[in-house]
Amino acid sequence: MTLDGTNTWVLRAPGAEFATVIDPGPLDEGHLARIAALGPVQFILITHGHFDHAEGAARLSELLGGVHVLAADAAHSVGAGPLDRDEWLGGSGLEIQVVDTPGHTADSVCFLVECGDERVLFSGDTILGRGTTVVAYPDGDLGSYIRSLRTLSAYENVPLLPGHGPALSDCGAAARAYLTHREERLAQVRAAVAAGAENAEAVVDVVYPDIDPAIRFAAAASAQAQLEYLRRESQGAPEELDPL
Ligand SMILES: [Zn+2]
């Protein structure tokens, strides 16, 4: 499920002493020691709490002498309160905006980093460098995810550096491609339900007939998130009631 490994990003403005780390990755001493060697670090940022992004954060903080870990979920923060969604963080020549993008998980955020005239968006697992993101019920929420993709579609021509896979040149274009993919999948799930599929397993049989048994659980969790989305849509649940 970690695809080809997690990207850890170490940012340092030209001439600045302190670096910023995004997503230290799993608890892998060798990897964490290599990041620590790139210090000093002003703070460690977490895009979301999945272990392949956040598990090594507390240990890296320790290796760096107690550098704060900033995450939207207090459970993954160290030495500081949780990040405010949409807050700005400054220092060491970088301006960093927390962009509120729940959906892949409830605690997912992106980071828009500005340095001089340059802007780059760090997307965690909200948009990947290749393939699509799993929105798995119940931690993932498809309604929130679609709203987050709409938010990211506004970052026209902003380079995107994801949690997995290669960099992309245009965050806005990537977000729109993801929205199209989600709409196509939802149309397939609606059709499967109309044809009598009553639960996630039945939807998987119709929508992913040739699925590898090893990843069937992920497809079922994704189908469950889609059914939950369609159920709320059919009930006309007002958006304001969505806790995210
Ligand atoms: Zn994740």
Side-chain angles (χ1 to χ4, degrees):
M1 293 300 282
T2 68
L3 311 172
D4 43 8
T6 305
N7 294 325
T8 294
W9 300 100
V10 181
L11 323 175
R12 180 178 273 113
E17 182 185 5
F18 287 87
T20 297
V21 174
I22 299 179
D23 286 351
L27 188 51
D28 173 330
E29 281 293 329
H31 176 64
L32 297 175
R34 282 172 55 215
I35 303 168
L38 299 171
V41 167
Q42 63 168 349
F43 40 66
I44 299 162
L45 300 174
I46 302 293
T47 59
H48 65 298
H50 279 163
F51 80 96
D52 56 324
H53 297 256
E55 187 190 42
R59 176 63 181 146
L60 181 63
S61 162
E62 218 172 85
L63 290 172
L64 290 165
V67 166
H68 291 177
V69 178
L70 307 177
D73 182 348
H76 296 286
S77 306
V78 177
L83 282 174
D84 277 338
R85 295 169 177 275
D86 300 322
E87 88 173 86
W88 281 86
L89 305 162
S92 291
L94 303 176
E95 292 290 329
I96 303 173
Q97 186 187 7
V98 182
V99 183
D100 187 22
T101 55
H104 170 67
T105 58
D107 70 338
S108 287
V109 294
C110 295
F111 299 107
L112 180 70
V113 177
E114 297 188 7
C115 181
D117 295 339
E118 290 187 79
R119 297 202 300 167
V120 178
L121 190 125
F122 292 85
S123 61
D125 283 355
T126 298
I127 294 179
L128 302 178
R130 66 170 72 89
T132 57
T133 294
V134 175
V135 176
Y137 186 83
D139 193 27
D141 181 277
L142 193 53
S144 304
Y145 186 64
I146 287 171
R147 282 193 293 282
S148 294
L149 290 177
R150 290 196 186 117
T151 300
L152 294 178
S153 69
Y155 293 92
E156 211 66 64
N157 292 316
V158 175
L160 177 142
L161 297 177
H164 305 276
L168 300 178
S169 60
D170 184 345
C171 174
R176 284 191 296 279
Y178 267 44
L179 280 167
T180 302
H181 169 79
R182 288 292 159 184
E183 280 157 17
E184 285 168 4
R185 276 280 182 246
L186 278 169
Q188 287 176 311
V189 173
R190 266 192 207 101
V193 170
E198 285 181 346
N199 55 42
E201 291 296 333
V203 168
V204 172
D205 288 337
V206 176
V207 178
Y208 311 91
D210 303 316
I211 189 128
D212 178 345
I215 58 166
R216 190 184 167 90
F217 74 96
S222 167
Q224 189 67 49
Q226 289 168 310
L227 288 173
E228 183 63 22
Y229 177 84
L230 294 177
R231 187 184 65 75
R232 281 193 224 165
E233 183 185 64
S234 71
Q235 289 175 347
E239 299 244 318
E240 310 77 84
L241 290 185
D242 190 321
L244 299 176

